[in-house]
């Protein structure tokens, strides 16, 4: 039995694989692009504006709390947070990196008690 010399490489199977992969990529790319539907909403006479508040709470390294750039105690912050809607309003926390962890826990405990869903912790890059 004689072996033939390997002079040429058959590239047809490789072309088939590349074409199948190209079809898969193109099919998934079109689904990702068409995910959002464009809808022209009708108008109504009884229009209710939905106000979403973005509340900024900051704590410095000494444990001084600030609610919307106003220095307040923890009890006043809790009182103001209890008046907000936990499903709509966004709470942004800014904590000093050298502040004690208990200040963070105090704010999170208040937010958890009320059931806030939209909480962000602001950091720098």
């Amino acid at each position: 039995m004689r072996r033939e010399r390997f002079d040429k490489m058959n590239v047809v199977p490789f072309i088939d694989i590349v074409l199948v992969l190209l079809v898969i990529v193109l099919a998934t790319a079109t689904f990702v692009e068409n995910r959002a539907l464009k809808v022209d909403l009708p108008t109504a006479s009884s229009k209710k504006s939905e106000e979403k508040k973005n509340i900024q709470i900051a704590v410095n390294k000494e444990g001084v709390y600030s609610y919307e750039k106003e220095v307040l105690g923890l009890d006043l912050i809790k009182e103001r947070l209890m008046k907000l809607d936990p499903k709509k309003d966004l709470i942004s926390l800014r904590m000093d990196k050298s502040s004690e962890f208990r200040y963070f826990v105090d704010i999170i405990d208040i937010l958890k008690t009320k059931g806030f869903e939209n909480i962000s912790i602001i950091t720098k890059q």
Side-chain angles (χ1 to χ4, degrees), residues 32-88:
V32 171
E33 184 179 333
N34 295 331
R35 187 175 288 179
L37 295 175
K38 293 182 181 180
V39 177
D40 187 20
L41 296 175
T43 58
S45 60
S46 62
K47 185 177 179 183
K48 182 180 178 183
S49 65
E50 190 169 315
E51 294 182 26
K52 288 188 175 186
K53 297 177 185 173
N54 185 3
I55 307 299
Q56 301 278 333
I57 298 175
V59 180
N60 66 4
K61 63 182 174 182
E62 287 85 27
V64 178
Y65 296 96
S66 148
Y67 181 92
E68 290 292 308
K69 298 181 182 177
E70 181 182 355
V71 176
L72 295 174
L74 187 61
D75 294 332
L76 288 173
I77 290 176
K78 181 177 183 177
E79 185 178 306
R80 289 192 181 182
L81 287 174
M82 290 302 159
K83 294 178 184 176
L84 298 175
D85 185 4
K87 298 202 185 300
K88 274 195 315 190

Side-chain angles (χ1 to χ4, degrees), residues 8-19:
K8 297 179 188 175
M9 187 167 151
N10 188 4
V11 293
V12 175
F14 295 118
I15 293 173
D16 291 341
I17 291 171
V18 169
L19 287 176

Side-chain angles (χ1 to χ4, degrees), residues 54-59 90-97 104 119-125:
N54 185 3
I55 307 299
Q56 301 278 333
I57 298 175
V59 180
L90 172 67
I91 306 296
S92 299
L93 292 176
R94 294 177 181 271
M95 304 293 295
D96 191 283
K97 67 180 178 180
F104 177 77
I119 301 170
S120 64
I121 299 171
I122 308 298
T123 60
K124 67 178 179 180
Q125 294 181 342

